Amino acid sequence: MISRPTGRATGPYDAAFLPRLQMTLRAAEGPVNEPVSKFGGQPVWLEEAAWPVHPESGEPLVFIGQFRVPGDEVRLAYLFLHEDDRVMGMYPDSGEAVVLLQPGGRVPPFAVIGLPGTKGRSLWRWGDDGETEIPVEWLVDWEPMAPEADAAANCHAEWWRYMRHEGPPVDLPEDDEPEDFLGGTAVLPNGRAWGLEDGCWQFLCQFADRGEEPEDPFFLNFGYGSGFVFVSPDRREGRFLGDCS
């Protein structure tokens, strides 16, 4: 099963892709060179490499991962973030969080692309000593979300819609908020897509931060929250939002 564009989404709180699919991680046995969804490793560019750098320091951003965009054409959304004292790029238009789409994508107006040959480091995890940073690469498998989890995600989205005064009254859901999925409506910890409400940005996928436990696959710090990837309706431009709980 794959998620497909709905053609009905008008903004960040609508379902741009259905069905909602659960994200599961699988350790890569070697370097991944195919245009598939993954965390870490090196970006598999579909066009010319375009590594973003910090707009002030010029330091290359960290490559977090790449995600297949649903549709007939093979398209990838590449996510790069800046680390500020272990907290990763939180603001959609600061240049510290950049989503690039290929092929035929547009570079966001706030993004700064490094000179040809620019490369930075990629996603990592802590070593056994708690200090060494070890590069990682994990493949992402998309599987049908369990019906009860899918229903819980929809309930949370509807509750937040009510809290934004955009829908009828609903009770606060008792189930936990689902994490790590693609498609459907996003489950934002604070209920709003801050900085993305002035356009038609469409939700692609979200994933929780992690990295404090030895068994965690990689280190991501969104302030005990989640990261969210959005794309434009024409699938040519992207945005990232980090939302702490």
Side-chain angles (χ1 to χ4, degrees):
M1 178 182 292
I2 59 173
S3 190
R4 304 290 300 176
T6 65
R8 300 190 299 271
T10 59
Y13 307 122
D14 300 319
F17 308 101
L18 286 174
R20 184 184 279 116
L21 300 178
Q22 189 72 53
M23 173 190 298
T24 60
L25 301 178
R26 174 166 48 94
E29 296 180 356
V32 177
N33 299 310
E34 300 297 320
V36 297
S37 298
K38 66 168 187 167
F39 285 94
Q42 292 296 309
V44 180
W45 299 107
L46 298 178
E47 294 180 329
E48 184 178 354
W51 202 294
V53 300
H54 191 279
E56 296 181 3
S57 69
E59 177 186 2
L61 303 187
V62 180
F63 175 62
I64 303 301
Q66 62 189 39
F67 309 96
R68 279 287 301 268
V69 179
D72 294 330
E73 182 183 19
V74 175
R75 302 189 62 75
L76 289 176
Y78 307 87
L79 174 61
F80 298 83
L81 299 177
H82 171 66
E83 288 183 324
D84 183 6
D85 194 24
R86 300 305 185 203
V87 176
M88 301 190 177
M90 302 289 283
Y91 303 103
D93 58 358
S94 67
E96 297 184 355
V98 176
V99 177
L100 301 176
L101 279 92
Q102 291 187 0
R106 296 186 297 270
V107 175
F110 51 78
V112 178
I113 303 301
L115 296 173
T118 297
K119 290 180 65 175
R121 64 180 182 141
S122 65
L123 197 60
W124 50 272
R125 66 171 177 84
W126 290 118
D128 293 337
D129 59 5
E131 298 181 359
T132 304
E133 298 175 4
I134 301 175
V136 298
E137 190 165 22
W138 290 84
L139 291 161
V140 174
D141 294 323
W142 303 110
E143 301 175 350
M145 180 174 276
E148 59 272 17
D150 193 47
N154 288 333
C155 287
H156 280 278
E158 287 303 311
W159 186 76
W160 278 114
R161 188 177 295 275
Y162 161 58
M163 294 299 291
R164 294 193 302 270
H165 308 288
E166 298 173 358
V170 295
D171 293 331
L172 175 65
E174 296 181 358
D175 296 326
D176 292 337
E177 297 180 352
E179 300 174 335
D180 303 339
F181 62 85
L182 177 147
T185 50
V187 180
L188 294 144
N190 293 297
R192 303 198 74 96
W194 301 106
L196 298 174
E197 297 175 295
D198 58 348
C200 297
W201 300 104
Q202 299 180 348
F203 169 68
L204 177 65
C205 63
Q206 70 178 75
F207 38 88
D209 63 6
R210 43 179 51 92
E212 293 184 338
E213 301 299 327
E215 65 272 15
D216 285 338
F218 45 73
F219 180 88
L220 279 175
N221 185 355
F222 304 133
Y224 297 101
S226 292
F228 300 80
V229 178
F230 295 82
V231 297
S232 59
D234 62 4
R235 321 286 190 262
R236 304 295 176 184
E237 194 170 330
R239 292 291 187 274
F240 173 81
L241 173 65
D243 196 357
C244 60
S245 59

